[in-house]
Each structure stands twice: as structure tokens, then as C-alpha cells.
Amino acid sequence: MLKAVIDLGSNSVRLVVYQQGPHGTQKEVDNLKQVVRLSNHINREGRISDEGIRITVHVLRQFKQLCEAYEVEEVICVATQAVRIAKNREELVERIYRETGIPVRILSGEEEARYGYLAVVNTIPLEEALTVDVGGGSTEITYFKDRKVLEKISIPYGGVNATKEFLQGDPPTSKEMKRLERTLLTELEKYPWTAGRRCPVIGMGGAARTIAKIHQAQRQYPLSILHAYQMWPYEVTGILELLLSTPLTKRKEMGGLSADRADIIIAGAAILDLVVRRAEANQFILSNKGLRDGILMEEVLKAKNEELLSDMLLHSIENNLDHFHMNRAHAWRVACFSERLFTAMKEAGIHAFGKEELKWLKTAALLHDVGRSISIYDASKHTFYLLLHAPLYGVTHRERVLIAAIASYKSTKQVSTELSRYEEFLHEEDLPLVIQLGVLLRFVRTLDRTETGDIKEIEFIGGEKGGTIRVRAAEDSFLQMELASEWVKKLSKAYHRDFSLEVNRDGIRE
Amino acid sequence: MLKAVIDLGSNSVRLVVYQQGPHGTQKEVDNLKQVVRLSNHINREGRISDEGIRITVHVLRQFKQLCEAYEVEEVICVATQAVRIAKNREELVERIYRETGIPVRILSGEEEARYGYLAVVNTIPLEEALTVDVGGGSTEITYFKDRKVLEKISIPYGGVNATKEFLQGDPPTSKEMKRLERTLLTELEKYPWTAGRRCPVIGMGGAARTIAKIHQAQRQYPLSILHAYQMWPYEVTGILELLLSTPLTKRKEMGGLSADRADIIIAGAAILDLVVRRAEANQFILSNKGLRDGILMEEVLKAKNEELLSDMLLHSIENNLDHFHMNRAHAWRVACFSERLFTAMKEAGIHAFGKEELKWLKTAALLHDVGRSISIYDASKHTFYLLLHAPLYGVTHRERVLIAAIASYKSTKQVSTELSRYEEFLHEEDLPLVIQLGVLLRFVRTLDRTETGDIKEIEFIGGEKGGTIRVRAAEDSFLQMELASEWVKKLSKAYHRDFSLEVNRDGIRE
């Protein structure tokens, strides 16, 4: 069953079409954005002009057409600041309903803020943070602690209306910037909790995304992932200063900045920068998930009967297993036996890895086969590519690189080559770590090479210097055991220990 | 329905499991290789030793187990030189059948050569070539012209037995090498047609693959595709010389060379080099497709009722459309309207592109959506990745890069970035070409943005300086037309002409 969410914002109207999957999962099948700049169509009396109404209805008819093509069953359409403040908002809502059949729900500033919070708190693993979502006509800020939202506000300035009201210069003058900052500060000072929080600030929305994109372009970031991208607070200020020293025509050519946002980006960046500075943030994190995702998340949580996702990483792993049509039983067997061997080897003193490393190993174990969806040839290479690009929440970019390398491990030669482009993420001890966990995973994978669950139990008997991996298996599992015995040799080499493999079949020891 | 092909070779035993698709297509779902070195198990009396039989049966039982796990319905097992020459081959075949139920078909040298030819002639677009397949215990050579095989032979030397008989030194001495060459030459001289052909030589099998891999590693080739990789004949000699100057322990660490082939690669390389030199080849081309693929191809051709694939590129496009679950109707609409617009613009004198460029455009048009199978976010990036890695026959590596760039075109900025790693493939005029065809494709894609076939007809009315693109469309296709009008602007920019869009809906001109 397909559903759609439409976000009728002050700068743009966005549509996302998604499909509900079998495991409380969801898959986005299409999305579309049209720039409407509704805030620019609000006249002096605070009414959306006829032209504004006409364009909005026109775009929604287009979206409706796409929804019909997909045979979407339910369309959820929400409107934010521009509609919220318009005196004739009821007229707009009526016209839209009459001409497209789409019911529009006007969100209050607090509801809007709450959806942003929902998107963030279920995709970024933080207990405490400020979120800031700079829209076209308003900015929503929330504060959450222990993943519970404690404060949520909306202030009536966003990229489009702040540009219109304050920033005429090209580039804006420092006088204009000061006036904007004073006005924003007056708004923020109504909420003392926005000051001195010293926690991370999470930025959402187009302006935040653009700041992160420009920063990535400047430093030639080797990953093309935006979500959960981390910056130092002073780097946000740095990008604002760069934008302020660049006239509009040059901004349009700037890497990471799309031409249709070049005019309003300075106001957006200034709002973000001010929130970050006032909060005395210790970190700036980009969330590529926002309002629409919060609305989707609310549906997912309802279906799962949870208030918040209890395990966002697992949820996104499930999404990927569905998306790439993986054999779930095989994936879980490999993850489960990998964990057992990891734990038994740790107890024996073979390695000193902790919870983090186990998380990486299990994630890699669950997703090791995704590359096969592209081709069985070079499947490792494809797994590496997919794990660097698939949506995976609850891990940092560095962790993603490690997980991708562990999951796609074939040989030391191959993994060193794959990782060479990502050296900036790696510590000195990471290569041996990837090799040790990668070999362990390969060994366990071969035990279920036929994906028939012939392996029943795994034990490790030995001590610090090595020992025996004892496996109980089905009678005819000789293919797996023969392949596994090759990997036991590599396991010995990777851990500088002596391991041997003992197979018990139906109670008979070989 | 799943089928499997097993190739019982002199060096290794290989299994491929594949699924027949709905459009005469096929998809490989698994493969596995075990090194057996059967040629080393043939004793002085020319009999496969008991140990040799035991190992072979053992490996085939493993493969049988994997086939059963996949519920394979038909297993085709062929044996080559080592079995062919063994005095007790009937004993081996019987033992295999009794213990695994797999019927083994022993191929004659000519049959083996023919399957190699079938694999090559349907995946590499050449009218005339020599093929050479260096196996473990024999080498098959064919000559084809007008895609028809004219000669096919098998000579009884391959990498494993030639190493055993001639090359004991580490590295081999020049005396040893000369003895080997003399012996090979004596064999080849029985077939005068192997000399002075001055056509391309196509190498198949592990030794040829390894030569190409080493060459790619040496020059840091930016693509990870082997099939249809081109080398100059003197580069084959260069790799042989490099191998001859490297002792075994060092060869094992060499990039592109797997450790379990490091011993036999010199003999294999020497055979290839001799065939290339004797043929006075003008080019060496690697075929990653060989015996097993030839057997599969025979099945495909039977199903299609063709003697040879009449269009190998189209066949591999069909394979990809199936593999990535693409909307075929949409793909064909986009390809068809792209061709019409391309042709109309050419007739008007807007561009001077020819058949080649049209082939690239149509291939890109048919496959433009493959990236969406990974994610709708960054779908262009994924399309680029997939088109550089998916099996696509009938195009060179350079053409693949161009097709991938055209199919994933989003903007000049983006395409320049994507192509920057592949500059060695590009000519000066390629970037404008990619932009012009990429924009044209994007324009046509938006006309079917909803994938509902609302566009009925496309015409170009105008001359060298520009003109009107006239489209007949369904009444409610305003989304597509609005999006298309944006791309018409970009089309004007890319071709330095003035284009406009005219839409006729149900006979009413807008």
C-alpha cells in the first residue's frame, strides 16, 4: 500500500511517496519538489494573493497527478508558516480541497517543531540536543534530553522572509546583518533555554543541508552522505562568512549550493549560526531528515506501538534487508553465530574488543550480502558501495566506513585498497580491527554457505593462545566445513593464534 | 527455474547457478570454484589416480549440495582435457554418477573450443578474431570471421601440465622457457592458419584473466571491469617478462595475481604470448566469458531460436532491465522518444552526431533508471555506478563511461565531477557530447515523469538555429509539461540554440 506526504512549505512544496514494508519498514519510492516561495505571495494585509493561491493549487494538482499514477491510497498534506499566518488560510485550504481533493492540515509551530524532533531523535543517536529547522518563513527549535522533547518553539523568521525584510545588499552589508541578528536575538531571548546549553545543535531543512554540502565540497569529503554529518560550530560561522564575502552570481556557481537557493542562503545560514553560537553548541550535526520524515515516523511508531524507536540502527537494518530482498534467516544466523564466536573469543582473552566493535560486526553480519543484489560478481565491492550509501541510522560516518569494510572483507590486499580513499576516518588500529572482524565474519558466513541453516551450534574451547572452534552441523554439510577450514587458517593468521576446527555431525566427532 | 553448469577442468572445478528470466534472459545467482589440479593427479600410465578420483567426487558432492540448497532442476556437467585424455575416464564418470547423480559429458577439444567461441562471439562485438583459451591441461584456439567459426583446435598443453613438464626453475630459466616455446610452436605449426592473421586475439580463461588483472593493477586502471579489456600485444609480452623476473614468493604478493595461481601463471602467460605473437595480433582483448558461458549461451540461443545473438547489446540491456526490476514500458518510451528527437534535430542540422552516439543515447535511455533500484536519493549517482559495473556487452570500456555519464546526467557540475576519475577514456569533445545527449535524455524523461505514457508524439519543427519541440500529450499531463519546460531551457543552453516547447492536448494547442 502506497502513501504520500506533502509538505506545503514557505519556500517549496515537497512530495514523498512511500510504501509500507512487511516489518514495520518503509521504502520511499518517489519524491518531487517544486519551488513556490509562498511567503513571497503574502501581501501587506497578510493574505496570500490570488496568484499565490493559483500557483499552489497548480503544484498540488501536479502532485495529485503523480499520486494517481502511483495509485497512492492516502495523501497526508501539511502546511507550515506561510499558510499558518495567512489571514485567508481557510480560503486556500478550501480551494485546494475543492480542486484537488487533498485535505490540508495546518500545523501549529509547536506541532511542526515536534515532527522535526521526531525525525531527528529516531535517526540520530543522541540523548540530548537542540534541533533547529530553518524553513522559508519560520524557524523551529526544540530541546530534548533523554530523547524526550522538553521545549519546542517556532519563531516567525525563515530564509525567505528574513531575506526579503532585511537583506537587500549583494552581498548583504554588515549593517543589514546586524539588524537581522538583533531581530532574531529579540525573538530568541523570549526563550532563555536556547542559551548556553553546551550540547550538540542538530540542523534540519534546506539551509542546514546547504551549509553541510558547501562544507563537504570545500574539504572534498570522500563520502556522499549528508545525514549525521558533523561540523565544529566555528565551521558553521566560517561558511556564513564565506557566503557573506561572495556576491550572488558567484554564489550560484559555488559547489554544494544550488542556484535556486543562492539568494536566501545567507539569511538561513545567519539564523543557524546564531542559534549555534547562542547555545554554545559543542557540535553541529546535519539531519537530512525533517518534517516529512517526522510525519512518516509517527506512522511507523504507531504501527510498532512504540513512542520512540528503541533501536534505530536495527530498524534501518531491517529496512535495508527488505529493500534489497535479502535472505533474512541467513542474515540472522550469520549475525547470531558471529556474536557467539566473538563473545567466546573475548572471554578466552583472544581479543579485547568491546560493545562498539560488536555492534559493527553484527551490523556487517546482517548486511554482508547486500552487494549480491547488484551482482554475484564483485559482490564484496558492491556491498562496500551500498553500505556507504544506503540509509543506516545510529552510526557515525566513521562507523559506516568500518562496517562497510568488515562486511565486504575478502583479503587484506582488497580491504586496504577499498579503505585507501577513506583514510581521514581511520585510526591506526583500524586496519587490523577490520581484518580481524572481517575474517571472523567470513568464517561464519562459510558455515552457512548454502544458506540452509546446517550449522547448529558454535563453541570456542581454548585460551589466550588459541584453541578449537567446535561446530555442530548437519550430516551433509561438508561443503561448508571444507570452505570453513580454509578460513580457520586465515583466522589464525589474523589473530596471531592457532585455531583449529572441529566438526560434530549428528553426535559423531570427525 | 534454476539450472547449474559445472565445468570439470584440469586446474579447477567451477559451478555456476543461474535462473532463466522472462525475456530469454538469464541471471547468475551463485558461483563457486574449487582448485583441484586434476592434471597433477594423472599418473605415468595416463590414469587419474584414486586420490584424484576421490577429490573430484568430493568436490562434486559439495557442488551437488549447493545445487540442492538452491533446488536446481538441471545440472549440466562438462569435463575437459584432464578427463579427456585419462585412460580411466569412464571409471571417473561412473563413480561421479554413482556417488552424486551428476551425469558428466566429456567434451572433445573441438567442442570445448566451440563453446569458447560461442561465449566470445556473443559478448564481444568483433567480426573477426582468434580466440585462445588457456586451460589447465590444454589450450583451445578458434578463428572466426563474419562471426562464423572457421577453425577450431585444441592443443594438449595448458598452465598446469606445461608448468609440470617444462618449468622447474624459480623463476624459470631462459633455457626452460625456450624448450616450452619450441614444443608449443611444434604444436601450433600443424595449424598454419594460427600464423600472421593480423586480427585481434581474444584471451579467455584464468591465465588471460590474470594477465589483464596484473596489467590493470600496474596502470591503476580506474574501472573494475575485466571483460572486453583491451591491451596492445607488446603489453602481453611485457607482463610475461615481468613475471619471469619475479620469484614465486614475490609473485604471490603481486597485485592482480591470486596466490593459488602464482606458480602456473608463467606457463599460461607464455602460451598466450606465443599465440599473440605468432598471429601478429593487432590487439589483445580479454574475455571474462568462457566455456561455461558458452554452454549457457547455447541454451539462450535455443530459447531465442537464433544461431548467434543478433544484437548482444540489446540482449544485455534486457538482462539488466529484468535484473533491476525496471519499468520496461517506461524505459522503451523514453528510448523511443529520445531517438525521435535526436533524429529530428539531426535532420534540422542542430547536431552532427551519428550512429555511435545514437547507440549510446538509446542504451542510456533504456537503463537510465537502474540507480533507483538502490535508492531514489542520489539515484543518478547510483545509475552511474551500476552502469560502470553491470554486465553490458557490445560496448567498449570507453563507451560504457560515456553511456553511464549520459544516463546519469543531472548538471554540468555533477557530470564533470563524476567523469574526473575517468579522464583517460575521454576525448576533448566528450564533455559537450555527454551534456548535449544527457540534457536531451533528461528532457524526454520528464515527459514521462509519471511513467503513465501520457506523451503520445514528439516532433521538431525548425532549422539549424533552433525551433519548436511539439509534443502531443494526454489532457492531464501538466506536471510533465511544466517540468519539461525547465529542461527545454537547459536544452537551449546545451545546444546554443533557441528551443521552445509546444504542447497539444487532445487536439487543443496551448
Side-chain angles (χ1 to χ4, degrees):
Chain A
M1 188 185 128
L2 292 176
K3 290 192 180 191
V5 175
I6 296 171
D7 162 14
L8 189 47
S10 306
N11 181 43
S12 59
V13 188
R14 284 160 180 273
L15 165 76
V16 54
V17 177
Y18 73 102
Q19 184 168 31
Q20 276 183 307
H23 302 89
T25 53
Q26 66 197 27
K27 174 177 169 175
E28 297 184 17
V29 295
D30 207 346
N31 72 350
L32 192 60
K33 165 185 147 182
Q34 294 282 59
V35 174
V36 164
R37 296 270 165 102
L38 196 55
S39 1
N40 285 349
H41 291 284
I42 296 187
N43 59 27
R44 287 204 195 130
E45 300 93 60
R47 296 172 61 87
I48 299 169
S49 65
D50 288 349
E51 174 70 2
I53 293 180
R54 198 191 60 76
I55 297 176
T56 306
V57 168
H58 182 67
V59 167
L60 286 176
R61 273 180 64 204
Q62 294 175 5
F63 286 7
K64 176 78 180 180
Q65 191 195 351
L66 194 58
C67 288
E68 280 170 359
Y70 276 110
E71 301 180 11
V72 162
E73 292 197 13
E74 187 187 349
V75 179
I76 300 169
C77 179
V78 297
T80 56
Q81 182 71 1
V83 180
R84 188 152 63 217
I85 59 166
K87 295 219 168 100
N88 57 341
R89 56 182 177 266
E90 291 309 325
E91 182 192 344
L92 177 73
V93 169
E94 239 185 83
R95 279 279 298 280
I96 290 173
Y97 187 71
R98 213 166 55 218
E99 300 197 23
T100 69
I102 297 172
V104 179
R105 178 176 153 213
I106 302 174
L107 298 181
S108 71
E110 292 209 344
E111 283 175 316
E112 189 180 344
R114 186 178 155 272
Y115 282 121
Y117 147 79
L118 265 188
V120 162
V121 83
N122 288 301
T123 58
I124 292 181
L126 282 176
E127 294 294 315
E128 180 189 12
L130 270 184
T131 72
V132 50
D133 184 352
V134 182
S138 67
T139 295
E140 283 66 44
I141 305 175
T142 78
Y143 171 65
F144 67 82
K145 201 175 171 175
D146 301 326
R147 297 184 75 201
K148 291 216 164 55
V149 66
L150 301 182
E151 308 283 354
K152 48 182 192 285
I153 56 162
S154 176
I155 64 173
Y157 292 98
V160 180
N161 62 356
T163 303
K164 198 175 163 193
E165 196 173 328
F166 297 95
L167 310 180
Q168 273 78 44
D170 176 21
T173 63
S174 63
K175 211 170 144 188
E176 289 174 334
M177 290 300 288
K178 271 191 191 130
R179 257 192 70 220
L180 169 60
E181 184 168 330
R182 262 199 310 276
T183 308
L184 293 170
L185 218 44
T186 309
E187 289 289 336
L188 289 176
E189 278 166 353
K190 297 179 196 162
Y191 311 102
W193 57 267
T194 57
R197 294 250 68 103
R198 301 187 182 200
C199 63
V201 164
I202 299 172
M204 283 178 279
R209 211 155 40 229
T210 301
I211 299 293
K213 276 188 186 171
I214 295 172
H215 192 246
Q216 289 191 343
Q218 298 273 324
R219 64 183 278 212
Q220 298 189 286
Y221 196 63
L223 291 175
S224 59
I225 320 168
L226 271 178
H227 189 68
Y229 181 65
Q230 302 177 349
M231 291 169 68
W232 294 112
Y234 73 83
E235 292 174 319
V236 176
T237 311
I239 299 293
L240 172 61
E241 279 165 5
L242 175 71
L243 290 167
L244 272 171
S245 66
T246 314
L248 182 61
T249 47
K250 292 272 173 202
R251 289 207 298 278
K252 286 189 176 174
E253 289 158 16
M254 202 182 257
L257 178 51
S258 70
D260 66 359
R261 196 181 282 283
D263 54 344
I264 58 168
I265 184 58
I266 291 183
I271 299 172
L272 278 173
D273 181 54
L274 186 64
V275 173
V276 166
R277 281 190 289 118
R278 181 171 157 80
E280 295 171 38
N282 53 23
Q283 210 179 16
F284 177 77
I285 299 174
L286 190 274
S287 171
N288 205 8
K289 303 282 147 186
L291 175 58
R292 281 171 310 153
D293 308 278
I295 291 170
L296 291 190
M297 189 51 73
E298 190 173 54
E299 304 267 314
V300 170
L301 292 171
K302 257 189 238 164
K304 288 179 101 99
N305 205 13
E306 291 187 336
E307 243 183 86
L308 293 176
L309 285 182
S310 54
D311 190 337
M312 67 182 77
L313 175 57
L314 185 60
H315 180 73
S316 61
I317 290 171
E318 296 268 6
N319 263 326
N320 283 298
L321 289 174
D322 279 354
H323 183 91
F324 293 109
H325 310 286
M326 292 295 103
N327 179 340
R328 298 171 79 91
H330 169 67
W332 279 104
R333 272 196 298 272
V334 172
C336 169
F337 288 116
S338 294
E339 179 169 6
R340 283 197 209 159
L341 187 55
F342 175 96
T343 307
M345 283 168 69
K346 185 180 166 70
E347 280 165 6
I350 302 282
H351 66 74
F353 297 134
K355 270 190 181 175
E356 287 290 284
E357 289 86 352
L358 179 58
K359 176 176 92 173
W360 304 337
L361 174 65
K362 282 183 72 176
T363 306
L366 286 165
L367 298 173
H368 71 269
D369 259 346
V370 290
R372 291 171 67 101
S373 68
I374 295 181
S375 168
I376 58 163
Y377 297 104
D378 288 326
S380 293
K381 190 185 164 71
H382 304 319
T383 294
F384 191 79
Y385 177 86
L386 289 180
L387 291 187
L388 289 191
H389 292 92
L392 204 58
Y393 306 126
V395 291
T396 64
H397 289 196
R398 170 179 140 74
E399 290 183 304
R400 230 174 216 274
V401 172
L402 292 173
I403 290 165
I406 295 166
S408 62
Y409 179 83
K410 259 177 86 176
S411 69
T412 301
K413 223 193 257 176
Q414 161 269 349
V415 88
S416 310
T417 312
E418 289 285 25
L419 285 176
S420 62
R421 277 189 69 200
Y422 304 96
E423 271 170 10
E424 63 183 275
F425 293 103
L426 301 178
H427 308 158
E428 210 183 312
E429 67 281 16
D430 283 343
L431 187 61
L433 176 149
V434 164
I435 294 170
Q436 294 193 337
L437 297 183
V439 172
L440 191 158
L441 175 56
R442 274 273 165 177
F443 167 72
V444 175
R445 283 171 61 180
T446 58
L447 293 177
D448 198 35
R449 177 65 178 80
T450 56
E451 305 195 2
T452 42
D454 288 350
I455 159 141
K456 311 296 179 192
E457 236 173 58
I458 193 165
E459 281 179 293
F460 179 73
I461 294 121
E464 228 178 290
K465 291 186 180 158
T468 302
I469 299 169
R470 189 182 283 165
V471 165
R472 194 162 69 76
E475 200 192 351
D476 60 350
S477 57
F478 45 88
L479 167 62
Q480 292 99 311
M481 295 313 142
E482 183 132 335
L483 295 170
S485 66
E486 283 302 307
W487 281 100
V488 168
K489 288 179 206 157
K490 293 180 186 169
L491 206 60
S492 300
K493 201 174 156 202
Y495 288 85
H496 309 291
R497 300 292 202 289
D498 267 328
F499 297 119
S500 60
L501 178 64
E502 184 184 303
V503 183
N504 297 327
R505 296 186 218 266
D506 282 12
I508 300 154
R509 190 160 301 175
E510 280 204 356
Chain B
M1 186 185 127
L2 292 176
K3 290 192 180 189
V5 174
I6 295 171
D7 163 13
L8 187 48
S10 307
N11 181 42
S12 59
V13 188
R14 286 160 179 274
L15 166 76
V16 53
V17 178
Y18 73 101
Q19 184 170 28
Q20 276 184 306
H23 302 88
T25 54
Q26 66 198 27
K27 173 177 169 174
E28 297 182 18
V29 296
D30 206 346
N31 72 350
L32 191 60
K33 163 185 147 181
Q34 295 283 60
V35 174
V36 165
R37 297 269 165 103
L38 195 55
S39 357
N40 285 348
H41 291 283
I42 296 189
N43 58 26
R44 287 203 197 129
E45 297 92 61
R47 297 172 61 87
I48 299 170
S49 66
D50 288 350
E51 174 67 3
I53 293 182
R54 198 192 61 76
I55 298 177
T56 307
V57 169
H58 182 68
V59 167
L60 287 176
R61 273 180 64 205
Q62 295 175 7
F63 285 7
K64 176 79 179 179
Q65 191 194 350
L66 194 60
C67 287
E68 279 170 2
Y70 276 112
E71 302 178 9
V72 162
E73 293 194 15
E74 186 186 350
V75 180
I76 301 170
C77 179
V78 297
T80 55
Q81 181 73 359
V83 180
R84 189 155 58 218
I85 59 166
K87 296 219 168 101
N88 59 341
R89 57 182 177 266
E90 291 310 324
E91 182 193 345
L92 177 74
V93 169
E94 238 184 86
R95 280 280 298 280
I96 291 173
Y97 187 70
R98 213 167 55 219
E99 299 195 26
T100 68
I102 297 173
V104 178
R105 179 177 153 212
I106 301 174
L107 298 182
S108 70
E110 291 210 345
E111 282 176 317
E112 190 180 343
R114 187 179 156 269
Y115 282 122
Y117 148 79
L118 264 188
V120 162
V121 81
N122 288 300
T123 59
I124 292 182
L126 283 177
E127 294 294 316
E128 178 189 14
L130 270 186
T131 73
V132 50
D133 185 351
V134 183
S138 66
T139 294
E140 282 66 45
I141 305 175
T142 77
Y143 171 65
F144 66 83
K145 201 174 172 176
D146 301 327
R147 296 184 76 202
K148 292 215 164 55
V149 65
L150 300 184
E151 308 284 353
K152 46 182 191 286
I153 55 161
S154 177
I155 63 173
Y157 292 98
V160 180
N161 62 354
T163 302
K164 200 176 162 194
E165 193 172 331
F166 298 95
L167 309 180
Q168 273 78 43
D170 176 21
T173 63
S174 64
K175 211 171 143 189
E176 290 174 335
M177 290 299 289
K178 269 190 196 134
R179 257 194 71 220
L180 170 60
E181 186 168 330
R182 261 198 312 272
T183 307
L184 293 171
L185 217 45
T186 309
E187 288 289 335
L188 289 176
E189 280 168 354
K190 298 180 197 162
Y191 311 103
W193 55 267
T194 57
R197 295 247 69 100
R198 300 186 184 202
C199 64
V201 165
I202 300 173
M204 283 180 277
R209 212 153 40 227
T210 301
I211 299 293
K213 276 189 185 170
I214 295 172
H215 193 246
Q216 289 191 344
Q218 298 273 326
R219 63 182 277 212
Q220 300 189 288
Y221 196 62
L223 291 175
S224 59
I225 321 168
L226 270 179
H227 189 68
Y229 181 65
Q230 303 176 350
M231 291 169 68
W232 295 112
Y234 73 83
E235 293 174 318
V236 176
T237 311
I239 300 292
L240 172 61
E241 279 165 5
L242 175 71
L243 290 167
L244 273 173
S245 65
T246 315
L248 181 62
T249 48
K250 293 272 173 200
R251 288 207 300 276
K252 285 189 176 174
E253 289 158 15
M254 202 182 256
L257 178 51
S258 70
D260 65 359
R261 195 181 283 281
D263 54 346
I264 58 168
I265 184 60
I266 291 183
I271 300 173
L272 279 172
D273 181 53
L274 185 65
V275 172
V276 167
R277 281 190 287 119
R278 181 170 157 80
E280 297 172 37
N282 53 23
Q283 209 179 17
F284 177 77
I285 299 175
L286 190 274
S287 170
N288 204 9
K289 302 282 148 188
L291 175 58
R292 282 171 309 153
D293 308 279
I295 292 171
L296 291 190
M297 189 50 75
E298 190 173 56
E299 303 270 312
V300 169
L301 293 171
K302 258 188 236 163
K304 289 180 98 107
N305 204 12
E306 291 188 336
E307 242 184 87
L308 293 177
L309 283 182
S310 55
D311 189 337
M312 66 181 79
L313 174 58
L314 185 61
H315 181 71
S316 62
I317 290 171
E318 296 269 6
N319 262 326
N320 282 299
L321 290 174
D322 278 354
H323 183 92
F324 294 108
H325 309 285
M326 293 294 105
N327 179 338
R328 298 172 79 92
H330 169 68
W332 279 105
R333 273 196 297 272
V334 172
C336 167
F337 288 118
S338 293
E339 179 170 5
R340 284 198 208 157
L341 187 54
F342 175 97
T343 307
M345 281 167 70
K346 185 179 166 70
E347 281 166 5
I350 302 284
H351 65 75
F353 297 134
K355 269 191 182 176
E356 287 291 284
E357 289 87 350
L358 178 58
K359 175 176 91 170
W360 305 337
L361 174 65
K362 281 183 75 177
T363 305
L366 285 166
L367 296 173
H368 72 269
D369 257 346
V370 288
R372 290 172 69 102
S373 68
I374 295 181
S375 168
I376 57 163
Y377 298 104
D378 288 326
S380 295
K381 190 185 164 69
H382 304 319
T383 295
F384 191 78
Y385 177 85
L386 290 179
L387 292 188
L388 289 192
H389 292 92
L392 205 59
Y393 306 126
V395 292
T396 64
H397 290 194
R398 170 179 141 73
E399 288 183 306
R400 229 175 217 274
V401 171
L402 293 173
I403 290 166
I406 294 165
S408 62
Y409 179 84
K410 258 175 89 176
S411 69
T412 302
K413 222 193 261 176
Q414 162 269 347
V415 88
S416 310
T417 312
E418 290 284 23
L419 286 177
S420 61
R421 279 189 65 200
Y422 304 96
E423 271 169 11
E424 62 184 275
F425 294 102
L426 302 178
H427 308 157
E428 210 184 314
E429 67 280 16
D430 283 344
L431 187 61
L433 175 148
V434 165
I435 294 170
Q436 293 192 338
L437 298 184
V439 171
L440 190 157
L441 175 55
R442 273 272 163 181
F443 166 74
V444 174
R445 284 171 61 179
T446 58
L447 293 177
D448 197 34
R449 177 66 177 78
T450 57
E451 305 195 0
T452 41
D454 288 351
I455 158 138
K456 313 294 181 194
E457 235 173 58
I458 193 164
E459 283 178 291
F460 179 73
I461 295 122
E464 228 179 292
K465 292 186 177 157
T468 302
I469 298 169
R470 188 183 284 167
V471 164
R472 193 162 69 77
E475 198 190 352
D476 60 351
S477 57
F478 42 89
L479 166 63
Q480 292 99 307
M481 296 313 143
E482 185 132 335
L483 295 171
S485 67
E486 284 303 306
W487 282 102
V488 168
K489 287 180 205 157
K490 293 178 186 169
L491 207 60
S492 300
K493 204 176 154 200
Y495 289 82
H496 310 289
R497 302 290 202 286
D498 268 326
F499 296 120
S500 59
L501 177 65
E502 185 185 301
V503 183
N504 298 328
R505 297 184 217 269
D506 281 13
I508 299 152
R509 191 160 301 177
E510 279 206 351

